[in-house]
Amino acid sequence: MHRILSHHLPLHVGATVRIAGWVHRRRLFKSVAFLIVRDATGLAQVVVTDPATRAELEKLTEETVVEVVGTATSNATAPAGVEITDPTVRPLGPPAVPPPFDLYRPTLTASLPTQLDHAPTALRHPTRSAALRVSAAAVAGFRAALDARDFVEIHTPKVVSSSTESGANVFALDWFGRPAYLAQSPQFYKQLMVGVFERVYEVGPVFRAEPHDTVRHLAQYTSLDVELGFVADHRDVMVVLRDTLAAMLATVAERAGGALATLGVRVPAVLAQIPAVHFSEALTIAGAPADEPDLAPAHERALGEWARREHGSDFLFVTGYPMAKRPFYTHPDPARPAYSNGFDLLFRGLELVTGGQRLHRHADYLAALEARGESVEPYAGYLDAFRHGMPPHGGFAIGLERFVARLVGAANVREVTAFPRDLHRLTP
Amino acid sequence: MHRILSHHLPLHVGATVRIAGWVHRRRLFKSVAFLIVRDATGLAQVVVTDPATRAELEKLTEETVVEVVGTATSNATAPAGVEITDPTVRPLGPPAVPPPFDLYRPTLTASLPTQLDHAPTALRHPTRSAALRVSAAAVAGFRAALDARDFVEIHTPKVVSSSTESGANVFALDWFGRPAYLAQSPQFYKQLMVGVFERVYEVGPVFRAEPHDTVRHLAQYTSLDVELGFVADHRDVMVVLRDTLAAMLATVAERAGGALATLGVRVPAVLAQIPAVHFSEALTIAGAPADEPDLAPAHERALGEWARREHGSDFLFVTGYPMAKRPFYTHPDPARPAYSNGFDLLFRGLELVTGGQRLHRHADYLAALEARGESVEPYAGYLDAFRHGMPPHGGFAIGLERFVARLVGAANVREVTAFPRDLHRLTP
């Protein structure tokens, strides 16, 4: 007899079925015992009245893997209206050592550090696994949107010979006796690949040796990177970002509806046109001095509230960040060269995406580096490609963990990351 | 006027169109000049008779990015039967420095090292980009097959506190002052996540400090990893692998038909049941001594020819590899404990996939490590999860570059990798 998954039980009422999963909980009453089995799709209730089976059940600690054969029986009070009666229960391994927290309670009561120390079991809690299901669906939506728009998926090196974006915050390693660094982003590679495919994306790990410990930074995170050529300016990039975000959220709603319900979350609407304000206007809205070169977290929060209030939008573009605060490959606004064709997208008052138009002429790169007093040498291999014909282009990068955290209302990105890496954490 | 892509030209015959791309080639005859423009979808022929435009064209070196506005005109001898006449040609950047090889020739004549040194331009050659399109389609097929079978995509740490599979061939790095290593595979993490989702997959980079320089090894490659729980034994894993491979090839045929045509490649059939031979039988077929502990490349080639000849299959499973040659987490064959429930899949006589059933009981892990004289300590965090209830499980890993190389007939995996990393190569 084939094993069925718990969410298919209602299809088998009256039949003998086989299920398998983990002992989620046991409730041992005087005349009856309930065994709750958890599998990938949910929970199944098993009713035990036979004394021998009950004696077996008493030995099956929580998290023991078991197989149950019994009759699928209607019962309005059971999960999904079906329970398993007259069961035989067989362990598929030795009795489990229970984890240091109860997985059957509605929320995990253990502190986040304890959960992270015991991630392999903590992630079994429905709230923790639900966030990872949301994450998987979001990435599927990201790819689907871009595949439909003729983007090609690429895989780029994660070990590079020089720090890719700045000298700071890189992890150094020994590459067959030569110094090397973990890539902080696929920025340069995705730009180079615009020369090949015009439109590319990559989903992969990036590494930041962040020396500070915050709720929104990880030392390894998953970056959703996009780059496209033949743009007029950054606004063409923003259109692709808007459509990609909408697809991500639609796919989360479609594929991870159960996970959203577990988390009590609804996906926000993405307006056909996400509101956009210029950086200088953003300072005014946020009540910041007109000469501030960047937006502080408090300013971002104020802008998020403004977007919600004035436009009914959870998302807000801030365009035209000052060139001084953007990386050297940023394209300036031709009309106001102190400002850039770079943008951020705020999601409920938190920076979620950074993007913009990039320089595409070799001479402009040389001038930009010289103006910053930076040497050309570390970028030589990258810059060389711009001598061989590159179209106007731009792109963006979405931090996956930050997106999911904001979407599900998690205060710390570590809550939505399976095995986070940071200043203090290198295990499990 | 919106830009159209070259492959859409036939839809616009008689109309004024705008195209954009790279100067692929110019052919300057006495009374007429042809400009071949390459974009993401192919080539477009532009016919220039106007002397002023021709004078412009003479300055537009190969690889210069241009925009052309003209009339789409039927011509049976042009690519796809359409060319652009009466054009105006506008460069979108300065004239390009031509790369050190001609991209317009049917094959790249430069040596592979030269191509790799100039990857950003070499990859623009239709044969090189075609292989990467095949790669992208293969990964899309991989994910689609697994999504349809309720697998959940995961993202796991690429930096770990101890070497994940063996002490050899790891890259060491400095993690905020602590020793750390690049992950050689997501093996342990995907197993742990079986405890959460039952079925998981990951597409991501893995790192092997391979000290030897071969045509089939890279120091970073893309691993397509799968793991599933509640299996009877390795044969349940082989069924999933067979279906996944079939989906990968079907998606390549569907999404990358043009790339296959460019490469002159057809996707092989995957039989409903891929032939499988036990290791001991494989030795006999390959003419190897019966006490060989492993298959040498020559044996694999002989087995590939045998599978082709006897079964008409490009694929062959070899099951039951000796335990001595498999990693400690391998599940033995209960009937013949010197052999494993591990398998390899050969693709045209080359090992493409390694997989098998894993141990799932904590005590079995301790015994396996002890029998090998290995310390438990480096694996403590990983092993601990097996005390908390893990189902029988197994999985496999496909090396993406090796799969694509074998499929398109590339002799060296570097031919199908955008920016390879190896013993000698850390740039571009």
Side-chain angles (χ1 to χ4, degrees), chain B residues 202-267:
Chain B
E202 179 165 19
V203 176
V206 298
F207 305 91
R208 307 279 168 102
E210 295 283 352
H212 43 274
D213 201 357
T214 81
V215 296
R216 60 198 258 192
H217 289 96
L218 295 168
Q220 176 191 320
Y221 68 88
T222 301
S223 184
L224 310 183
D225 267 279
V226 171
E227 199 76 14
L228 58 148
F230 298 98
V231 299
D233 58 27
H234 58 293
R235 286 169 296 188
D236 285 347
V237 179
M238 289 159 66
V239 168
V240 171
L241 171 53
R242 184 266 156 210
D243 291 350
T244 303
L245 262 184
M248 290 169 72
L249 291 167
T251 308
V252 167
E254 183 191 315
R255 289 206 194 181
L260 291 173
T262 297
L263 296 165
V265 168
R266 280 190 188 193
V267 300

Side-chain angles (χ1 to χ4, degrees), chain A residues 203-253:
Chain A
V203 176
V206 299
F207 305 90
R208 306 278 169 102
E210 294 284 352
H212 42 273
D213 200 359
T214 80
V215 297
R216 59 198 259 191
H217 290 96
L218 294 168
Q220 176 191 321
Y221 68 88
T222 300
S223 184
L224 310 183
D225 267 279
V226 171
E227 199 77 13
L228 58 148
F230 297 97
V231 299
D233 59 27
H234 58 293
R235 287 169 295 190
D236 286 347
V237 180
M238 288 159 66
V239 169
V240 171
L241 171 53
R242 185 266 156 210
D243 291 349
T244 303
L245 263 184
M248 289 169 72
L249 290 168
T251 308
V252 167

